[in-house]
Amino acid sequence: AQSVTQLGSHVSVSEGALVLLRCNYSSSVPPYLFWYVQYPNQGLQLLLKYTSAATLVKGINGFEAEFKKSETSFHLTKPSAHMSDAAEYFCAVSASDYKLSFGAGTTVTVRA
Amino acid sequence: NAGVTQTPKFRILKIGQSMTLQCTQDMNHNYMYWYRQDPGMGLKLIYYSVGAGITDKGEVPNGYNVSRSTTEDFPLRLELAAPSQTSVYFCASSYSSGLGSNEQFFGPGTRLTVL
């Protein structure tokens, strides 16, 4: 079975500071990994995904994530936070064609 | 394209009442899903469908039923509402290419309260 653990349910950063959201996965087969973002009162939107083509994945809105097999991690970063980055972020793993397992989510607050 | 649409946006039910949450997608996706989202718990899969006429249980199917008569529609039925079903419900869809890497597209959600 596949699962992900997101470290930290809440992250607070200053505008312009680095955003780092941590995700560790467990999978018995090579995984596909995803980061989704959820803005208040909206559905989830894909930020980026890892599909084994490249270990450093670039997504929308300046986010990127690095797949590290040795650490079973897929941490999400953004060099400079913007007020519009305030949202909840979910890491997810899939090892099949259709089932996703989501982490508990990390809420990001951006301070002016 | 409207993507994935859900109705209603909000609903308050009394214990024991029934309702159907509607979900429609216009992307011709073969896979569709229902999730529930509870605070601090992420999303849990309730039911999914790999095509018209085919449905299967997810992690938390008790108290729910689904049907998939067309590619576009995937309604979720609550027969006897209970307070434990108070949650935000999301419908999603995806296209299967056999690679396991396809993103799911989510609707805006239905916020359900059972009192």
Side-chain angles (χ1 to χ4, degrees), chain B:
Chain B
N1 285 352
V4 180
T5 56
Q6 293 182 238
T7 57
K9 284 188 169 57
F10 304 94
R11 184 72 185 268
I12 297 175
L13 281 182
K14 294 183 179 178
I15 294 172
Q17 286 186 321
S18 301
M19 78 164 294
T20 299
L21 282 65
Q22 301 291 347
C23 175
T24 300
Q25 55 94 6
D26 63 359
M27 297 173 282
N28 201 32
H29 286 167
N30 46 352
Y31 287 6
M32 295 187 74
Y33 316 81
W34 275 105
Y35 294 91
R36 60 177 288 171
Q37 183 182 28
D38 301 298
M41 302 292 290
L43 278 75
K44 301 295 184 186
L45 182 65
I46 304 172
Y47 271 94
Y48 66 97
S49 169
V50 300
I54 306 170
T55 63
D56 207 348
K57 296 177 180 179
E59 298 174 77
V60 290
N62 291 345
Y64 308 95
N65 277 300
V66 294
S67 59
R68 182 106 181 262
S69 57
T70 67
T71 299
E72 296 78 19
D73 300 307
F74 191 41
L76 177 72
R77 178 87 178 157
L78 283 70
E79 289 295 347
L80 292 170
S84 61
Q85 294 177 305
T86 294
S87 188
V88 181
Y89 292 84
F90 288 99
C91 180
S93 70
S94 67
Y95 174 71
S96 166
S97 66
L99 297 176
S101 61
N102 298 303
E103 70 173 287
Q104 294 184 14
F105 293 81
F106 285 80
T110 294
R111 189 174 296 273
L112 176 67
T113 302
V114 182
L115 300 174

Side-chain angles (χ1 to χ4, degrees), chain A residues 15-39:
Chain A
E15 194 173 18
L18 171 72
V19 180
L20 170 60
L21 304 183
R22 299 178 188 274
C23 173
N24 287 92
Y25 69 90
S26 172
S27 178
S28 55
V29 297
Y32 300 106
L33 293 158
F34 304 78
W35 276 101
Y36 282 85
V37 60
Q38 184 182 29
Y39 299 104

Side-chain angles (χ1 to χ4, degrees), chain A residues 57-104:
Chain A
V57 182
K58 294 188 184 299
I60 62 172
N61 301 338
F63 284 92
E64 63 181 36
E66 186 172 9
F67 174 73
K68 292 187 176 180
K69 185 177 179 180
S70 60
E71 299 177 9
T72 61
S73 68
F74 190 57
H75 301 333
L76 181 72
T77 60
K78 182 174 180 178
S80 176
H82 191 271
M83 297 299 286
S84 60
D85 295 326
E88 189 162 18
Y89 293 79
F90 293 93
C91 183
V93 63
S94 172
S96 70
D97 197 22
Y98 45 87
K99 288 187 182 179
L100 280 179
S101 294
F102 287 87

